[in-house]
Amino acid sequence: MSTTSTVDSADKPGSDTGRLDESSRLRIVAVLATIVLYTEVAPIQFTMVSAALQKIAPSFPQAGPNITWSLIVFGLIGASASPVIGKLSDIWGKKRILLIAGVMFAAGCLLSATTDNWAVFLTGRCLQATAAGMTIVAYGLIRDLLPHKYVPIGLGISATGLGFSAAVAPIVAGYLVDQHSWRAMFWVLFAFVAVMTPLVAFVVPESKLRAHGGVDLTGAVLLSGGMAMTLLYVSKGNDWGWSKPTTLAWLIGGIAALALFVVVELRTRTPLMDMRLLFSPRVGLVLLTAVFAACLVGVHSYAVAYMVQTPPQSELETTIVSRTLDQVAQSTGRLLPPELVQVVLTPGYHYGDGLSLMQFALRIGLGQGLVAMLFGVVAGLLARRVGARLPLLAALALFVITTVTLAVLPHTWQVFALCSVGFGAALGLYYACMPILMVEAVPPEQQGISGGMLGATQSLSTAIGTAVTTAFVSANPITTSVSIAGRPPQDSTLPNVFADKGYELGFWFGAAAAACALVIALVMKHGRTPATGGTFTH
């Protein structure tokens, strides 16, 4: 059996971690605000890219439906990097690792902003995935630095960075994409980190808590490799053939690597993830809840923004007719009347409002984000009074209700806007409660690695939700039949537009995943008492 990292005797729980107990309220607010603003880059970039995915897709036509790997790869690399980043923050210092991750994120933004190559663009997204670990490190800093009574509220405010980004990011992205290009998003993110990095270095003190031990690189390789192979099977299975031996090899290899990861972690002296901590009820059930709940976040983030920005079918048919007439004129020199071109889409689709990114932001993203911000703070306050489990149950119930509604009602932007308000409330409650539950479950010296486990779980599950939805929509393409002057029609697959069934299956999958999370939370005993701010006594 492995042994976990130990702390110096001077850093045992209850000793000095650099907590700002004697500092003024203004100093405490300044530190918290700086941490929250800096770590905003993680949810902001995810919200921006998911909202702008429909606009990015034409720049990489070779990607096709795999354009969703812009999101999947962030979750995949973020999931494998978060435990490493969390472990390093326990050993080397949380502020130091936070700044290093920020610099790597900025480098990734530069890469994605300046390339026309799909592989290079994804490489930039991989570097940006270190931002997922920044959020995890921030939870540890808040626990170590803030007075105990402010920790639950601080975690709630930190988590509602997701709400802030959901409100602001689509508006900023909408302006940048509509007025400039999608590349401008990455330039702005780079500039934001460039400004905030020295501010964090100056304002935020370093936590004094340290743990001994190293980083299990073998475990990191097995974890990331196993997750990558499994996600590749899920997202590409429809294209390659689900039951083909060459396709199944990816799934079998992924499962084998993940199983070997567990074996390695149980035997190494410095595990990437503490398996005893992982399988304890207080931690294990929290992570299992995240496995299912975060799947829905991946489904929702991709599907809603993509659907409402797709042009209506009638508008798309008109565009196809016009393009066909232009091609005929260029090849023959003849100008045909539009009546001679017949376009049939099979099976057709009933969603699509043709919104610009700014319209999406104002009509849907803003309301969702503002509500998420409010309910994140509410969750922190409730956790201090009744524990984090009750607001978590409310979040999961709202996840199920809003997603079932999305699956069964007409796919108009008005329906999406209404459901996004409820979904925003659920986001705020959920993302505030999860780190509070984790902080209450583990001792201070294991905060970084436990936060890394939570981050890895949520990043991976978000990627799985996106990958599963990608598989559903890829399995439901739309065929375009174009006939000119009564001649035999020419059939082709319509790029970047998919049948309703694919998205509806994605919504049902997300609702089922959230329902599983709700059942787990119902039996969870952890989180039923008021949050203490991390005074671990178990």
Side-chain angles (χ1 to χ4, degrees):
M1 181 66 67
S2 66
T3 58
T4 58
S5 299
T6 58
V7 289
D8 293 328
S9 59
D11 292 326
K12 289 180 179 179
S15 65
D16 180 25
T17 64
R19 197 175 304 279
L20 303 173
D21 287 322
E22 303 301 324
S23 299
S24 67
R25 184 172 298 179
L26 179 61
R27 168 71 167 150
I28 295 170
V29 170
V31 170
L32 177 61
T34 304
I35 294 172
V36 171
L37 280 174
Y38 195 50
T39 55
E40 272 293 270
V41 294
I44 281 178
Q45 65 76 34
F46 188 85
T47 306
M48 279 185 168
V49 175
S50 59
L53 206 59
Q54 210 265 354
K55 311 300 183 186
I56 297 174
S59 297
F60 303 102
Q62 68 272 30
N66 292 323
I67 191 67
T68 53
W69 274 81
S70 300
L71 304 177
I72 294 172
V73 76
F74 184 91
L76 171 63
I77 302 302
S80 55
S82 289
V84 176
I85 292 173
K87 186 75 171 182
L88 289 175
S89 73
D90 285 336
I91 298 171
W92 291 350
K94 297 179 177 67
K95 174 183 172 180
R96 179 183 300 175
I97 297 302
L98 182 67
L99 293 172
I100 292 173
V103 172
M104 293 179 67
F105 175 85
C109 289
L110 277 179
L111 209 56
S112 294
T114 55
T115 185
D116 293 315
N117 183 280
W118 173 238
V120 176
F121 177 82
L122 287 183
T123 301
R125 294 290 292 153
C126 290
L127 287 172
Q128 292 163 43
T130 55
M134 293 171 65
T135 303
I136 301 308
V137 176
Y139 294 155
L141 271 175
I142 289 171
R143 174 174 178 161
D144 290 353
L145 298 180
L146 265 60
H148 285 298
K149 66 178 180 179
Y150 293 130
V151 170
I153 298 175
L155 291 172
I157 293 173
S158 178
T160 55
L162 186 72
F164 176 74
S165 66
V168 174
I171 296 176
V172 174
Y175 171 78
L176 294 173
V177 173
D178 292 348
Q179 301 299 319
H180 303 283
S181 76
W182 60 263
R183 299 179 190 278
M185 298 187 304
F186 294 104
W187 284 115
V188 168
L189 288 169
F190 171 79
F192 178 80
V193 175
V195 171
M196 286 299 302
T197 296
L199 188 62
V200 172
F202 178 74
V203 173
V204 179
E206 177 63 280
S207 168
K208 296 181 180 180
L209 193 64
R210 294 288 187 278
H212 290 307
V215 177
D216 177 25
L217 295 180
T218 301
V221 171
L222 289 171
L223 178 63
S224 58
M227 291 188 299
M229 288 188 285
T230 304
L231 281 175
L232 200 61
Y233 173 81
V234 171
S235 63
K236 297 296 291 181
N238 182 70
D239 297 335
W240 295 346
W242 295 103
S243 58
K244 286 186 176 181
T246 53
T247 307
L248 285 171
W250 290 99
L251 176 62
I252 295 170
I255 294 174
L258 293 174
L260 185 58
F261 165 76
V262 174
V263 174
V264 169
E265 294 303 282
L266 287 172
R267 293 178 178 275
T268 183
R269 293 182 58 84
T270 57
L272 185 65
M273 288 187 178
D274 185 344
M275 293 293 109
R276 292 181 299 178
L277 189 66
L278 182 68
F279 294 132
S280 67
R282 292 170 64 87
V283 173
L285 288 181
V286 173
L287 295 178
L288 192 59
T289 301
V291 166
F292 292 102
C295 278
L296 174 57
V297 177
V299 174
H300 191 278
S301 298
Y302 161 48
V304 172
Y306 205 98
M307 292 174 76
V308 298
Q309 292 180 75
T310 300
Q313 179 169 319
S314 58
E315 181 181 324
L316 186 58
E317 290 173 343
T318 301
T319 301
I320 295 173
V321 170
S322 177
R323 188 184 305 129
T324 302
L325 292 174
D326 290 341
Q327 291 172 349
V328 171
Q330 291 176 6
S331 61
T332 67
R334 297 176 57 192
L335 297 176
L336 298 180
E339 296 79 20
L340 292 181
V341 179
Q342 299 296 319
V343 176
V344 177
L345 302 184
T346 305
Y349 64 98
H350 301 90
Y351 64 90
D353 297 282
L355 300 185
S356 68
L357 190 52
M358 179 62 79
Q359 289 172 326
F360 163 75
L362 295 176
R363 297 182 187 183
I364 298 176
L366 181 61
Q368 175 178 304
L370 292 175
V371 171
M373 288 175 63
L374 173 64
F375 276 83
V377 177
V378 169
L381 294 172
L382 286 174
R384 285 183 58 184
R385 293 179 176 272
V386 299
R389 177 177 168 272
L390 283 179
L392 176 63
L393 289 174
L396 298 173
L398 279 172
F399 274 155
V400 175
I401 293 170
T402 55
T403 309
V404 169
T405 304
L406 288 173
V408 300
L409 288 187
H411 305 314
T412 64
W413 75 262
Q414 291 90 346
V415 171
F416 285 133
L418 178 63
C419 290
S420 290
V421 171
F423 192 82
L427 280 179
L429 293 170
Y430 170 77
Y431 275 103
C433 289
M434 296 303 281
I436 293 173
L437 286 168
M438 189 61 75
V439 161
E440 295 294 312
V442 301
E445 69 272 14
Q446 292 183 319
Q447 179 58 49
I449 185 58
S450 62
M453 290 191 289
L454 177 61
T457 302
Q458 294 191 140
S459 295
L460 177 61
S461 296
T462 301
I464 289 174
T466 307
V468 170
T469 307
T470 301
F472 284 142
V473 299
S474 298
N476 290 273
I478 295 176
T479 300
T480 306
S481 295
V482 181
S483 176
I484 305 173
R487 296 176 182 176
Q490 300 292 319
D491 295 341
S492 62
T493 300
L494 194 63
N496 302 322
V497 181
F498 308 93
D500 297 68
K501 183 180 178 181
Y503 291 109
E504 289 168 358
L505 287 173
F507 287 135
W508 283 115
F509 166 77
C516 291
L518 179 59
V519 172
I520 295 167
L522 282 170
V523 302
M524 185 191 300
K525 296 186 181 299
H526 180 45
R528 300 191 182 205
T529 56
T532 64
T535 55
F536 183 84
T537 58
H538 297 266

